[in-house]
Amino acid sequence: ETGVTQSPTHLIKTRGQQVTLRCSSQSGHNTVSWYQQALGQGPQFIFQYYREEENGRGNFPPRFSGLQFPNYSSELNVNALELDDSALYLCASSLGLGTGAMEETQYFGPGTRLLVL
Amino acid sequence: KQEVTQIPAALSVPEGENLVLNCSFTDSAIYNLQWFRQDPGKGLTSLLLIQSSQREQTSGRLNASLDKSSGRSTLYIAASQPGDSATYLCAVRVTGGGNKLTFGTGTQLKVEL
């Protein structure tokens, strides 16, 4: 167990709808990253938040947005869902951005599996 | 743009065999490299993290090596067990890229009795 939890575990939505996925980081972890993992692929970086500010974004459109809260929880919001958004969404927390294995090691949650019909 | 490739895509071995999983990356300007394990439908578990200045890391039956100049890493699993069956992913953190990881597509390992 990594101490990172995600909810819900599974979700079914229809095209055009909006979805909010939630993540609870390990206590004390200032950094949270979100990844999208399509079936049979490696995770793709969506964005990262550090102390409630976005700190880097991958190649995802603006309809993917996020929030990080002071209580070590965070959200991933996806608007105008498309069929290709069907994937496992993973969040990962780490102590910080800095140097050293302790700060850098990312602890992943179990993921939310999203199906868009 | 950093690209990470893992070979083979799938591997099946008998219990007790030693095995090597391969990972290659195109941009040698990496900060570190991590190996993860993913069980079906689950999240990722970090196995080993190698800093760019290191050549290898060991944890129990696992040994990971890094050759930054050639853009390669290997994960060696000794005396494989059925419980080792999972998908193994390598990921690199690039220098100056924050704590963003670029993943390979993974090697699906099956260890048979």
Side-chain angles (χ1 to χ4, degrees):
Chain A
E1 293 295 325
T2 63
V4 179
T5 59
Q6 291 186 245
S7 62
T9 55
H10 295 83
L11 200 52
I12 300 175
K13 290 285 190 179
T14 55
R15 197 169 47 180
Q17 284 189 309
Q18 178 266 342
V19 69
T20 297
L21 310 181
R22 293 180 172 83
C23 172
S24 181
S25 303
Q26 282 195 22
S27 180
H29 281 197
N30 292 312
T31 305
V32 65
S33 304
W34 286 90
Y35 292 82
Q36 179 196 66
Q37 186 177 24
L39 205 58
Q41 302 296 314
Q44 298 287 317
F45 176 76
I46 303 174
F47 44 56
Q48 180 179 83
Y49 279 78
Y50 175 65
R51 293 186 173 176
E52 302 160 50
E53 299 274 339
E54 187 177 293
N55 182 61
R57 188 178 187 92
N59 192 24
F60 281 81
R63 59 189 184 85
F64 285 77
S65 63
L67 285 171
Q68 185 185 25
F69 303 102
N71 65 351
Y72 308 114
S73 67
S74 59
E75 290 180 355
L76 164 65
N77 298 289
V78 188
N79 293 324
L81 283 167
E82 300 176 0
L83 298 180
D84 283 349
D85 296 334
S86 296
L88 180 69
Y89 288 85
L90 298 162
C91 76
S93 73
S94 58
L95 268 175
L97 300 173
T99 57
M102 217 171 139
E103 274 220 351
E104 296 162 2
T105 300
Q106 298 199 23
Y107 297 88
F108 281 79
T112 293
R113 187 162 295 282
L114 172 65
L115 177 61
V116 182
L117 301 175
Chain B
K1 179 190 170 189
Q2 178 74 266
E3 291 184 4
V4 181
T5 305
Q6 291 187 246
I7 294 173
L11 184 61
S12 183
V13 299
E15 183 181 12
E17 192 160 298
N18 302 326
L19 59 101
V20 174
L21 307 181
N22 297 293
C23 172
S24 61
F25 45 94
T26 53
D27 185 349
S28 62
I30 65 167
Y31 195 78
N32 62 40
L33 182 145
Q34 273 188 266
W35 282 92
F36 291 89
R37 169 189 172 133
Q38 186 173 31
D39 292 287
K42 306 288 187 182
L44 280 62
T45 301
S46 179
L47 299 173
L48 290 163
L49 184 152
I50 312 177
Q51 300 290 0
S52 62
S53 58
Q54 297 175 319
R55 295 300 298 252
E56 65 179 325
Q57 282 285 343
T58 299
S59 176
R61 295 183 293 109
L62 305 179
N63 176 275
S65 68
L66 174 64
D67 184 343
K68 207 172 70 160
S69 60
S70 68
R72 294 179 190 276
S73 176
T74 61
L75 178 67
Y76 174 82
I77 302 177
S80 58
Q81 303 170 357
D84 295 330
S85 298
T87 296
Y88 291 80
L89 294 149
C90 72
V92 299
R93 174 185 170 184
V94 298
T95 305
N99 206 357
K100 161 193 169 182
L101 298 177
T102 301
F103 282 85
T105 51
T107 293
Q108 189 173 9
L109 172 65
K110 184 174 181 183
V111 181
E112 297 175 318
L113 290 168

